[in-house]
């Protein structure tokens, strides 16, 4: 044992610091951006951001300690529980901003659809881990998982919340793909989706959602209306240049030109003040975290662990990719916050559940006996 190993307590030394240190830096940087978004004040964004991260870090540590068999046992009850919460949203849910997405428990306000993102990954991983390899091309291998995805998606779309429903679909689809389903099924699904897209656009989306999609193709057509968010975000990002305007010197957010500078458009707030250098740092840290997660998935020695880890990485990636494309005008504004930087308890909770699950699988890998893959 090395001298450093003898000085540092074993419980601390075995933590995945290669991921945790970049994560801590990203959260602290996010707090600095939120401090600036509030006009140079820790209240109300930066302080609650750090408190939430601390609370959910404890939650992630608890998740990381869970044994494999307990997680498998609780998978389907957890899915049913979250599904019941989604039904409860339709009955007693709070309405805010034209959407009904939250349940007020008194001590906290919960958005159940956020919980479904990691839960759908685990429930599909559990399903495919118990499915015999010979049945991977059987109808049950696609219809049952498709139903498990479609039911919560339907309730989330009723709220309405297009971004979260797409996140649930993406995480589930990644697990189905990695489980080994024939590629022709995904190609066929893509063709059907392309055919159904016009119908979904005209009959499935709300008017404001249709305007967001159309604005993507021509944001300048309504610069003071539907295109305002994207136009101001591009101005903020572009005006930052290489090194930015300087900490706490962003005019777009301080003069309130940039909508939601502390949530959906926090990257634009950051880019205006920190420039390309800040953007490279943020994307680089995300790349480190995602790379670590994929290494955990590849190191897994059983099917369940592998699918759980890969699905959690896909969920975090979806948040990152959609938010960055959204603020750059490459995707419709769908209300997807930037992980670990945006102000918001629901987003932090979901992403820290994913981090906790990855730490859990990493611990399983470390303790697993050498040998072949199992279920």
């Amino acid at each position: 044992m090395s001298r450093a190993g003898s000085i540092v307590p074993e419980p601390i030394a075995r933590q995945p610091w290669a991921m945790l240190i970049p994560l801590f830096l990203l959260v602290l940087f996010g707090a600095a951006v939120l401090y600036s978004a509030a006009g140079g004040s820790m209240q109300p964004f930066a302080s609650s951001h750090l408190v939430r991260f601390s609370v959910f870090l404890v939650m992630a540590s608890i998740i990381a300690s869970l044994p494999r068999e307990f997680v498998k046992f609780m998978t389907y009850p957890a899915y049913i529980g979250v599904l019941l919460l989604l039904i409860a949203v339709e009955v007693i849910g709070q309405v805010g901003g034209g959407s009904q997405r939250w349940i007020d428990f008194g001590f906290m306000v919960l958005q159940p659809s956020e919980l479904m993102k990691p839960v759908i990954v685990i429930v599909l991983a559990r399903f495919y881990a118990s499915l015999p390899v010979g049945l991977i091309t059987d109808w049950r291998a696609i219809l049952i998982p498709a139903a498990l995805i479609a039911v919560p998606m339907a309730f989330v779309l009723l709220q309405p919340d297009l971004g979260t429903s797409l996140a649930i679909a993406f995480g589930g689809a990644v697990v189905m793909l990695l489980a080994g389903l024939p590629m022709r099924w995904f190609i066929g699904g893509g063709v059907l989706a392309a055919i159904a897209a016009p119908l979904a656009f005209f009959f499935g989306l709300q008017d404001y959602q249709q305007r967001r999609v159309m604005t993507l193709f021509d944001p300048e057509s309504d610069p003071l209306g539907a295109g305002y968010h994207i136009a101001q975000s591009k101005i903020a990002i572009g005006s930052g240049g290489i090194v930015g305007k300087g900490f706490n010197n962003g005019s777009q957010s301080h003069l309130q030109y940039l909508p939601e500078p502390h949530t959906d458009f926090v990257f634009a707030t950051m880019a205006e003040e920190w420039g390309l250098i800040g953007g490279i740092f943020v994307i680089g840290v995300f790349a480190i975290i995602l790379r670590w997660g994929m290494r955990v998935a590849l190191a897994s020695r059983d099917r369940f662990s592998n699918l759980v880890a890969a699905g959690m990485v896909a969920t975090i990636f979806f948040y990152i990719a959609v938010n960055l494309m959204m603020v750059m005008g490459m995707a419709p504004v769908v209300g997807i916050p930037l992980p670990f930087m945006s102000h918001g308890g629901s987003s932090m909770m979901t992403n820290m559940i994913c981090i906790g699950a990855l730490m859990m699988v990493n611990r399983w890998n470390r303790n697993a006996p050498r040998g072949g893959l199992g279920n």
Side-chain angles (χ1 to χ4, degrees), residues 32-193:
V33 176
L34 293 174
Y35 173 90
S36 177
S41 173
M42 290 295 291
Q43 301 292 342
F45 307 133
S47 58
S48 60
H49 176 73
L50 294 175
V51 169
R52 286 167 175 166
F53 174 73
S54 301
V55 171
F56 290 129
L57 181 63
V58 174
M59 178 198 67
S61 301
I62 294 173
I63 293 173
S65 67
L66 297 178
R68 188 196 325 264
E69 293 309 314
F70 176 78
V71 174
K72 285 185 174 182
F73 176 76
M74 290 301 298
T75 295
Y76 292 118
Y79 176 83
I80 294 172
V82 177
L83 195 59
L84 290 175
L85 287 174
L86 287 176
I87 296 173
V89 168
E90 297 302 313
V91 180
I92 60 172
Q94 276 191 337
V95 178
S99 300
Q100 188 171 342
R101 303 176 184 177
W102 302 271
I103 298 178
D104 189 351
F105 289 100
F107 64 94
M108 69 173 295
V109 177
L110 178 67
Q111 186 177 347
S113 58
E114 287 288 336
L115 289 173
M116 186 54 75
K117 296 175 186 177
V119 166
I120 197 67
V121 167
I122 298 178
V123 77
L124 292 185
R126 177 73 176 88
F127 174 82
Y128 284 115
S130 61
L131 187 71
V133 176
L135 294 180
I136 199 66
T137 58
D138 186 76
W139 63 270
R140 286 167 290 188
I142 188 169
L143 289 187
I144 294 177
L148 291 171
I149 296 172
V151 173
M153 273 190 69
F155 282 107
V156 174
L157 284 172
L158 287 174
Q159 295 179 358
D161 190 349
L162 178 61
T164 299
S165 64
L166 291 176
I168 293 170
F170 182 81
V174 168
V175 174
M176 294 171 73
L177 177 65
L178 296 178
L181 268 64
M183 184 58 66
R184 65 178 183 274
W185 290 359
F186 291 93
I187 295 175
V191 172
L192 290 176

Side-chain angles (χ1 to χ4, degrees), residues 4-5 7-18 20-21 24 359 366:
I7 295 174
V8 179
E10 196 273 336
I12 296 177
R14 71 183 178 209
Q15 300 303 315
W17 295 110
L20 287 175
I21 291 176
F24 294 158
M359 293 170 64
R366 195 172 59 243

